[in-house]
């Protein structure tokens, strides 16, 4: 395995991580930006971004991510495509293990975002698990499909609006109350391609002749059946920190206080997952690193 050294490693090329990399580049400070998947993070799933300044009529998440990619390229920021498998603290520095290399770093910026809560309590047969997804960017070219989403928050309704352009979408809400913005809820109800089912619990999943899956759901009025091509889980997310060693977990507060470790964006912002907040986090981290580098 290749051994590498870097002064600053940034884990995650979503809005927070790429902003840190861009601003450090502007300062003339080189950093290694690492991304296991694609640039943009969850923004790739967004149907319509209406609260990001500079786009008065809104912009799709996909188009905004493409603009971010162009900016990284023009700035000369290179993204290392690899998955971080472990991050540890040893000998007054960080040791980062990935699929491609082992790296030592003096400062680490964690911008790895969140991971989805899995549909563990639902009876998904092993043979059908390939049709279960938790993000939708790779389904955006699907046409004429039936897609079912479990969830009642912003993500569930935003996913539905995105996918309903070319497909039929069902939203299953376990309770009576939805948890999304009223704007998203109203748009979904007005969309003829979206079917919203409240007080609906997924009871069983089985193979289907016409579609990939047959969903049997319990409602207040009895059982209903939905034939579907894909099942999307949108029941919540949690910080993606699986790669941190136990030793590093115990030193997080100490390392953050001495500005050797930064946690930014969705990985630390809990409910406040907005692209503008993540970008602000990334900018602040870069500015703090710049001030610190000037003093050393």
């Amino acid at each position: 395995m290749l051994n590498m050294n870097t002064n600053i490693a940034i884990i995650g090329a979503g809005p927070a991580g790429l902003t840190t990399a861009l601003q450090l580049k502007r300062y003339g400070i080189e950093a290694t930006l690492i991304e296991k998947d694609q640039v943009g993070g969850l923004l790739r799933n967004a149907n319509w971004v209406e609260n990001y300044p500079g786009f008065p009529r809104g912009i799709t998440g996909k188009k905004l991510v493409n603009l971010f990619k162009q900016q990284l390229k023009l700035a000369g920021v290179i993204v290392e495509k690899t998955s971080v498998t472990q991050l540890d603290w040893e000998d007054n520095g960080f040791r980062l293990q990935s699929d491609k290399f082992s790296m030592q770093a003096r400062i680490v910026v964690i911008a790895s975002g969140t991971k989805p809560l899995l549909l563990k309590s639902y009876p998904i047969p092993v043979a059908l698990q390939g049709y279960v997804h938790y993000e939708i960017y790779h389904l955006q070219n699907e046409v004429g499909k039936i897609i079912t989403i479990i969830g009642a928050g912003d993500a569930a309704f935003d996913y539905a609006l995105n996918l309903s352009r070319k497909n039929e979408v069902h939203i299953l809400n376990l309770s009576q109350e939805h948890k999304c913005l009223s704007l998203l809820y109203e748009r979904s109800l007005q969309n003829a391609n979206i079917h919203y089912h409240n007080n609906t619990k997924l009871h069983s999943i089985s193979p289907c002749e016409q579609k990939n899956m047959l969903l049997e759901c319990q409602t207040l009025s009895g059982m209903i059946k939905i034939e579907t091509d894909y099942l999307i889980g949108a029941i919540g997310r949690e910080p993606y920190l699986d790669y941190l060693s136990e030793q590093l977990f115990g030193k997080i507060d100490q390392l953050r206080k001495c500005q050797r470790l930064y946690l930014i964006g969705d990985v630390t912002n809990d409910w406040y997952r907005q692209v503008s907040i993540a970008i602000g986090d990334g900018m602040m981290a870069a500015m703090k690193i710049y001030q610190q580098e000037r003093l050393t």
Side-chain angles (χ1 to χ4, degrees), residues 89-160:
W89 175 260
E90 57 183 39
D91 298 330
N92 198 36
F94 293 95
R95 167 66 66 180
L96 185 152
Q97 301 287 343
S98 82
D99 294 339
K100 292 183 178 179
F101 51 71
S102 176
M103 174 182 286
Q104 289 183 316
R106 190 171 67 86
I107 295 172
V108 168
V109 180
I110 294 178
S112 48
T114 59
K115 63 179 182 178
L117 297 179
L118 304 182
L119 299 172
K120 292 181 179 179
S121 61
Y122 293 88
I124 304 172
V126 174
L128 300 180
Q129 289 180 1
Y131 305 116
V132 179
H133 300 276
Y134 296 91
E135 295 186 34
I136 65 162
Y137 62 90
H138 50 285
L139 298 177
Q140 291 178 2
N141 292 326
E142 296 287 352
V143 178
K145 304 293 186 180
I146 298 178
I147 301 171
T148 301
I149 301 171
I150 297 179
D154 286 349
F157 283 85
D158 192 70
Y159 288 177

Side-chain angles (χ1 to χ4, degrees), residues 4 10 13 17-18 21-22 25 30-35 39 69 71-81:
M4 299 174 61
I10 304 168
L18 65 86
L22 284 168
K25 190 76 171 181
E30 293 297 327
T32 302
L33 179 59
I34 303 167
E35 171 57 51
V39 169
K69 289 179 179 178
Q71 192 165 0
L72 287 173
K73 185 176 180 180
L74 289 171
V77 175
I78 297 173
V79 181
E80 292 285 350
K81 294 293 291 295

Side-chain angles (χ1 to χ4, degrees), residues 46-48 60 140 160-167 169 191 193:
N47 172 57
W48 201 249
T60 66
Q140 291 178 2
L161 288 165
N162 199 336
L163 293 169
S164 67
R165 293 191 182 102
K166 302 175 182 178
N167 305 280
V169 180
N191 190 317
N193 289 335

Side-chain angles (χ1 to χ4, degrees), residues 6-293:
T6 186
N7 189 35
I8 303 164
I10 304 168
I11 303 173
L18 65 86
T19 299
T20 304
L22 284 168
Q23 184 63 15
L24 288 176
K25 190 76 171 181
R26 192 163 178 253
Y27 286 137
I29 299 174
E30 293 297 327
T32 302
L33 179 59
I34 303 167
E35 171 57 51
K36 66 181 177 65
D37 195 353
Q38 297 181 36
V39 169
L42 289 180
L43 186 57
R44 293 171 295 166
N45 299 301
N47 172 57
W48 201 249
V49 183
E50 298 174 281
N51 59 356
Y52 189 74
F55 299 94
R57 296 185 179 180
I59 184 172
T60 66
K62 184 177 180 180
K63 287 183 178 179
L64 187 54
V65 167
N66 285 337
L67 290 174
F68 288 164
K69 289 179 179 178
Q70 291 178 34
Q71 192 165 0
L72 287 173
K73 185 176 180 180
L74 289 171
V77 175
I78 297 173
V79 181
E80 292 285 350
K81 294 293 291 295
T82 185
S83 179
V84 176
T85 56
Q86 185 172 29
L87 180 66
D88 203 355
W89 175 260
E90 57 183 39
D91 298 330
N92 198 36
F94 293 95
R95 167 66 66 180
L96 185 152
Q97 301 287 343
S98 82
D99 294 339
K100 292 183 178 179
F101 51 71
S102 176
M103 174 182 286
Q104 289 183 316
R106 190 171 67 86
I107 295 172
V108 168
V109 180
I110 294 178
S112 48
T114 59
K115 63 179 182 178
L117 297 179
L118 304 182
L119 299 172
K120 292 181 179 179
S121 61
Y122 293 88
I124 304 172
V126 174
L128 300 180
Q129 289 180 1
Y131 305 116
V132 179
H133 300 276
Y134 296 91
E135 295 186 34
I136 65 162
Y137 62 90
H138 50 285
L139 298 177
Q140 291 178 2
N141 292 326
E142 296 287 352
V143 178
K145 304 293 186 180
I146 298 178
I147 301 171
T148 301
I149 301 171
I150 297 179
D154 286 349
F157 283 85
D158 192 70
Y159 288 177
L161 288 165
N162 199 336
L163 293 169
S164 67
R165 293 191 182 102
K166 302 175 182 178
N167 305 280
E168 177 183 337
V169 180
H170 292 262
I171 302 175
L172 308 184
N173 180 5
L174 186 62
S175 70
Q176 175 68 30
E177 301 297 325
H178 65 81
K179 301 176 183 178
C180 69
L181 288 171
S182 296
L183 184 68
L184 296 177
Y185 179 71
E186 291 166 5
R187 287 175 180 172
S188 296
L189 292 188
Q190 294 168 4
N191 190 317
N193 289 335
I194 297 177
H195 309 281
Y196 174 59
H197 310 268
N198 59 10
N199 294 309
T200 301
K201 181 179 180 180
L202 180 58
H203 182 265
S204 67
I205 305 172
S206 58
C208 179
E209 290 184 5
Q210 301 299 322
K211 297 295 181 179
N212 293 327
M213 293 181 281
L214 175 64
L215 310 180
E216 293 192 57
C217 306
Q218 180 70 54
T219 73
L220 296 180
S221 303
M223 298 295 291
I224 63 171
K225 295 182 179 181
I226 301 173
E227 295 183 354
T228 193
D229 290 289
Y230 299 106
L231 182 64
I232 309 295
I235 60 173
R237 303 186 70 86
E238 60 184 348
Y240 176 55
L241 295 169
D242 297 8
Y243 53 90
L244 268 63
S245 70
E246 291 185 12
Q247 179 178 319
L248 182 54
F249 254 119
K251 293 181 175 291
I252 285 179
D253 291 341
Q254 175 187 342
L255 292 171
R256 293 183 75 177
K257 189 174 294 185
C258 67
Q259 295 187 315
R260 297 288 297 275
L261 179 67
Y262 296 82
L263 272 69
I264 61 174
D266 289 2
V267 77
T268 191
N269 285 337
D270 194 24
W271 188 79
Y272 304 99
R273 298 194 296 265
Q274 292 288 324
V275 62
S276 53
I277 295 175
I279 286 172
D281 280 359
M283 180 63 69
M284 183 175 290
M287 294 179 74
K288 287 182 177 180
I289 291 171
Y290 172 63
Q291 292 176 339
Q292 180 182 1
E293 293 297 281

